[in-house]
Amino acid sequence: MTARSVDDSRPDETEPVPPSAEEAAAAAATEEDEEPGEPEPASEDELFAQSEIAADYVEGLLDVLDLDGDIDELVANGRPMVEVVGGQLQTLVGQRGATLEALQDLARLAVYRRTGEPSRLMLDIGGYRNSRRNELAAVARNAIERVHEHGQPVRLEPMSAFERKCVHDVINATDGVASESQGEEPNRRIVVRAE
């Protein structure tokens, strides 16, 4: 477990300070120049700060659950990441990563409460995401073979957003096939078809 200490005597940093009139006017002028719905990308330092906030949250959770793990904060592919490694962490992954997804949402919420900004934080525990990514690549390749062999669309089982992205990435890198997500959560699935 990485050594971290939380100083509860610090002033509460979770409440945002309202902007001054000048700051609000400057922000409004900047927003007019930007495309609607396109937030300004966070800097590398801001992304790393998000990963540190999430790591503090995860460490507190590990302490409450009396679990040991080493926590790494990093930024990869323009996203803040927190990786937790150690023994006896499978319960934090859950069946097909369901618990991991819930913990990731909670860690994102912790970042949002501190920064006031949504986060694309990625949480991984025990290398689950990498091994699942490899499994999903095999699922995608199998679906591609079935589409080429039978010429019919192939509907895959419902998947999380992370899982669907992994499959879409493999399909998009393959000529002659296309994929699309259909349905509503939690039953959203991918359909692979010939192009």
Side-chain angles (χ1 to χ4, degrees), residues 71-94:
I71 302 171
D72 292 324
E73 309 102 359
L74 57 139
V75 175
N77 300 320
R79 292 180 84 155
M81 295 188 66
V82 173
E83 295 178 345
V84 183
V85 293
Q88 309 301 320
L89 296 175
Q90 186 58 34
T91 56
L92 296 179
V93 173

Side-chain angles (χ1 to χ4, degrees), residues 16-68:
V17 176
S20 68
E22 294 83 19
E23 292 170 329
T30 303
E31 288 172 5
E32 291 172 4
D33 297 335
E34 297 175 0
E35 290 293 319
E38 293 292 324
E40 185 175 317
S43 71
E44 188 89 6
D45 289 340
E46 291 169 326
L47 294 174
F48 189 75
Q50 290 179 15
S51 68
E52 288 180 316
I53 293 166
D56 288 342
Y57 175 81
V58 170
E59 182 181 21
L61 179 67
L62 291 177
D63 289 343
V64 167
L65 297 173
D66 198 27
L67 295 173
D68 290 327

Side-chain angles (χ1 to χ4, degrees), residues 10 21 25 28 48 90 93 96 102 124 128 152 168 183 193:
R10 291 185 300 183
F48 189 75
Q90 186 58 34
V93 173
R96 290 195 53 208
D124 192 15
Y128 173 80
Q152 297 294 319
H168 283 304
R193 58 178 165 67

Side-chain angles (χ1 to χ4, degrees), residues 164 168 171 178-182 188-193:
R164 289 192 309 271
H168 283 304
I171 303 292
S179 61
E180 66 177 328
S181 294
Q182 295 179 345
R188 196 156 169 79
R189 64 182 66 224
I190 292 179
V191 177
V192 182
R193 58 178 165 67

Side-chain angles (χ1 to χ4, degrees), residues 107-188:
R108 286 177 173 176
L109 182 58
V111 171
Y112 180 77
R113 289 191 65 194
R114 284 277 297 278
T115 65
E117 298 291 328
S119 176
R120 294 182 57 232
L121 174 87
M122 181 72 72
L123 174 64
D124 192 15
I125 297 176
Y128 173 80
R129 290 197 188 273
N130 191 44
S131 64
R132 185 67 178 145
R133 191 175 285 117
N134 292 335
E135 291 171 10
L136 292 165
V139 167
R141 287 190 297 273
N142 185 6
I144 292 167
E145 286 177 20
R146 290 176 23 212
V147 167
H148 286 311
E149 195 173 299
H150 302 291
Q152 297 294 319
V154 174
R155 287 174 45 105
L156 301 177
E157 64 188 38
M159 298 179 184
S160 70
F162 163 76
E163 292 171 322
R164 289 192 309 271
K165 178 166 181 352
C166 293
V167 172
H168 283 304
D169 288 348
V170 173
I171 303 292
N172 289 337
T174 306
D175 292 332
V177 291
S179 61
E180 66 177 328
S181 294
Q182 295 179 345
E184 300 295 321
E185 297 292 353
N187 296 314
R188 196 156 169 79

